[in-house]
Amino acid sequence: AARTPALLTLVADVASPSASDRRFPPLRHFDAFCGHSWALGLFASSAGRNQESVSEALNAWHGIALLGLALRNERLVSLGRLLAAVE
């Protein structure tokens, strides 16, 4: 329970579902239009855009869902499951 705020901050850093969160961009690397995460973010860089490792992304989304189960937070469970299903 003491680490819950830190864990939720970590989740928000990679998968904030809120466009009004001033600390983190919504779904930092996830591209809902393409249905997967980009390793270098949503915008092109000098190296181009490359797809994130699916195994890494799925582990992140599954971890969010598991954290939601542990905290009894249905919104986190749903977020993790949705991202995993679309990835």
Side-chain angles (χ1 to χ4, degrees):
R3 293 186 173 96
T4 299
L7 291 170
L8 293 176
T9 299
L10 182 62
V11 169
D13 186 21
V14 297
S16 176
S18 175
S20 62
D21 187 339
R22 293 175 163 238
R23 301 170 303 157
F24 305 107
L27 304 175
R28 182 180 299 273
H29 299 288
F30 185 76
D31 186 334
F33 183 77
C34 291
H36 62 78
S37 300
W38 293 106
L40 297 177
L42 297 179
F43 303 102
S45 70
S46 61
R49 289 172 47 180
N50 57 339
Q51 184 172 351
E52 181 64 80
S53 163
V54 173
S55 62
E56 290 176 5
L58 287 177
N59 275 298
W61 309 149
H62 185 64
I64 289 170
L66 288 176
L67 179 62
L69 287 172
L71 297 177
R72 295 188 175 120
N73 181 327
E74 274 302 313
R75 292 185 70 199
L76 268 186
V77 173
S78 295
L79 174 64
R81 287 179 176 170
L82 173 69
L83 291 170
V86 176
E87 187 79 39

